[in-house]
Amino acid sequence: MREVDVVGIRFEEPEYAPVLVLHEKEGGRYVPIWIGASEAAAISLQQQGVKPSRPLTHDLVVTLLETFSQPLEQVEIVGVSEGTFIAELVFGTTRVSARPSDAVAVALRTAAPVLVSKEVLDEVGISLVEQGEEEVEAFREFLDQVSPDDFLGGGGPAEEPGSPSS
């Protein structure tokens, strides 16, 4: 497993589909994951430090974890199957399956680390190591123009069937 930073949300043109972008801390690869609009909003609000007047679902999950003294140790993105990313919330020896977008939204609220398996990074990671600003800008343009089908070889939406980009 490799730890990643949550870069943030970018939007795929022309549908304006949200893409969660993760960046490998050591190694420099990026992992784009197409997600739903409400999860994108939850992630963006948390990253910007915006507190909604009423708690969002992810805030409720964090409150439940705190109430029942179950600290979230980490979030792991453990696989990709037919274009669908698979994540797990890790509580000691207990693992709970989750969509990566929901898992990341909870991780940001608990300061839990986010990790991606080496296999996922090898399969879908985009490397920009030792490349200049020109290549970084080309990657940003790529994110603006690529579709989930292009990225995963026609396997469908990157997170779940029925996502906004399908």
Side-chain angles (χ1 to χ4, degrees), residues 2-6 22 25 46 62 65-66 70-76 88-92 100 102-116:
R2 303 280 178 96
E3 189 168 358
V4 295
D5 288 318
V6 179
L22 306 174
K25 284 190 173 188
Q46 185 64 29
V62 171
L65 294 175
E66 291 168 352
Q70 289 295 315
L72 176 63
E73 287 184 17
Q74 62 193 35
V75 163
E76 296 180 0
E88 295 178 343
L89 301 168
V90 179
F91 305 92
D102 291 325
V104 166
V106 173
L108 288 173
R109 286 162 171 76
T110 62
V114 178
L115 295 95
V116 176

Side-chain angles (χ1 to χ4, degrees), residues 69-149:
S69 301
Q70 289 295 315
L72 176 63
E73 287 184 17
Q74 62 193 35
V75 163
E76 296 180 0
I77 299 175
V78 297
V80 180
S81 176
E82 297 181 14
T84 301
F85 283 77
I86 301 161
E88 295 178 343
L89 301 168
V90 179
F91 305 92
T93 59
T94 303
R95 294 173 167 269
V96 177
S97 181
R99 296 184 305 177
S101 55
D102 291 325
V104 166
V106 173
L108 288 173
R109 286 162 171 76
T110 62
V114 178
L115 295 95
V116 176
S117 74
K118 184 179 180 316
E119 294 77 19
V120 170
L121 282 163
D122 290 345
E123 183 176 344
V124 301
I126 298 169
S127 180
L128 298 177
V129 174
E130 298 178 8
Q131 300 194 15
E133 282 299 313
E134 192 172 301
E135 287 81 8
V136 171
E137 186 57 35
F139 174 67
R140 288 186 180 119
E141 289 177 22
F142 162 78
L143 281 179
D144 288 341
Q145 298 172 6
V146 72
S147 74
D149 288 338

